[in-house]
Amino acid sequence: MSDQPSRVDEDAKSFETLMQGVERHRHDRADIARPAADPDVLAYKRAAATREPERVIDGLSSEAVEIVESGEELLFAAPGIQLRVMKRLRQGHIPWEQGLDLHGMTVDEARDELSRFIRDAQRSGARAVLLVHGKAFSQAGRQPRLKSHVNDWLRQLHGVLAFCSAQPRDGGTGALYVLLRQKK
């Protein structure tokens, strides 16, 4: 029994040693701010801005965005979207009513088509749509630029409430289910 208290003291000293330099939280809320942009990406954006005037459609630009991986699942929900709705969307239980395939388009063409498609789908009262952006597997060693841009653009469009990667039957990580804001 006399061995037990010394073991507790050793554990306490070990814990104190491990916790050196750790500061106590001053608040109880999560920091949900977007992380600071990568300096290399910012430098690229500045250089691109000086080279040529940029076309902006519906507030969407073709400037450099954060690159996502081909097989990476995308997920976005605007504030206020219920978890139950997101779960149904991810499982493919909210039927999509219209679709758009962006394969083979340039970034500028895809931006124009996406903007027009979302506006038209909203006008027609569609609740959910399927958007195929592809995975860029056909271009060996190339990053999925279109997928990355679509990920960025959809987050900016006011008519988009949520989106997530589709089920394998609808294109998997090469497509998105997009939940649209309903017109009142």
Side-chain angles (χ1 to χ4, degrees), residues 43-107:
Y44 176 79
K45 286 181 179 180
R46 281 190 207 103
T50 59
R51 279 195 307 267
E52 61 187 53
E54 190 167 350
R55 288 185 56 220
V56 176
I57 306 292
D58 283 347
L60 308 177
S61 70
S62 57
E63 67 184 35
V65 295
E66 181 180 334
I67 300 295
V68 295
E69 296 300 318
S70 293
E72 186 177 338
E73 284 197 25
L74 301 180
L75 181 66
F76 167 79
I81 298 298
Q82 297 176 354
L83 222 49
R84 173 178 50 87
V85 172
M86 283 306 297
K87 185 176 179 181
R88 289 188 64 228
L89 186 65
R90 287 186 77 190
Q91 293 172 341
H93 292 172
I94 299 177
W96 51 275
E97 301 162 46
Q98 297 177 26
L100 175 65
D101 189 347
L102 300 172
H103 277 106
M105 293 185 188
T106 66
V107 171

Side-chain angles (χ1 to χ4, degrees), residues 4-18:
Q4 193 70 358
S6 66
R7 174 81 174 141
V8 171
D9 291 340
E10 286 177 25
D11 286 346
K13 287 179 186 175
S14 176
F15 181 75
E16 287 176 16
T17 304
L18 291 172

Side-chain angles (χ1 to χ4, degrees), residues 29 73 112 121 163 177:
R29 296 186 186 255
E73 284 197 25
D112 297 348
F163 64 84
Y177 297 131

Side-chain angles (χ1 to χ4, degrees), residues 1-179:
M1 274 312 213
S2 64
D3 188 33
Q4 193 70 358
S6 66
R7 174 81 174 141
V8 171
D9 291 340
E10 286 177 25
D11 286 346
K13 287 179 186 175
S14 176
F15 181 75
E16 287 176 16
T17 304
L18 291 172
M19 297 308 290
Q20 283 180 342
V22 175
E23 292 182 27
R24 184 177 193 88
H25 282 288
R26 302 279 185 243
H27 55 82
D28 63 350
R29 296 186 186 255
D31 182 12
I32 58 173
R34 283 187 130 177
D38 182 3
D40 293 335
V41 171
L42 290 175
Y44 176 79
K45 286 181 179 180
R46 281 190 207 103
T50 59
R51 279 195 307 267
E52 61 187 53
E54 190 167 350
R55 288 185 56 220
V56 176
I57 306 292
D58 283 347
L60 308 177
S61 70
S62 57
E63 67 184 35
V65 295
E66 181 180 334
I67 300 295
V68 295
E69 296 300 318
S70 293
E72 186 177 338
E73 284 197 25
L74 301 180
L75 181 66
F76 167 79
I81 298 298
Q82 297 176 354
L83 222 49
R84 173 178 50 87
V85 172
M86 283 306 297
K87 185 176 179 181
R88 289 188 64 228
L89 186 65
R90 287 186 77 190
Q91 293 172 341
H93 292 172
I94 299 177
W96 51 275
E97 301 162 46
Q98 297 177 26
L100 175 65
D101 189 347
L102 300 172
H103 277 106
M105 293 185 188
T106 66
V107 171
D108 286 334
E109 292 169 341
R111 180 193 57 220
D112 297 348
E113 280 299 313
L114 175 66
S115 177
R116 187 177 310 111
F117 174 71
I118 295 295
R119 272 196 325 264
D120 291 347
Q122 242 190 318
R123 243 184 251 127
S124 69
R127 180 174 185 214
V129 295
L130 179 70
L131 186 61
V132 180
H133 48 68
K135 298 180 187 180
F137 283 146
S138 59
Q139 298 124 354
R142 303 264 328 256
Q143 297 288 346
R145 287 186 57 219
L146 202 52
K147 178 177 182 175
S148 301
H149 280 283
V150 167
N151 179 42
D152 187 56
W153 294 333
L154 288 175
R155 293 169 190 266
Q156 297 174 40
L157 286 172
H158 178 71
V160 174
L161 290 175
F163 64 84
C164 63
S165 293
Q167 291 290 306
R169 69 179 178 266
D170 289 324
T173 57
L176 296 169
Y177 297 131
V178 181
L179 187 65

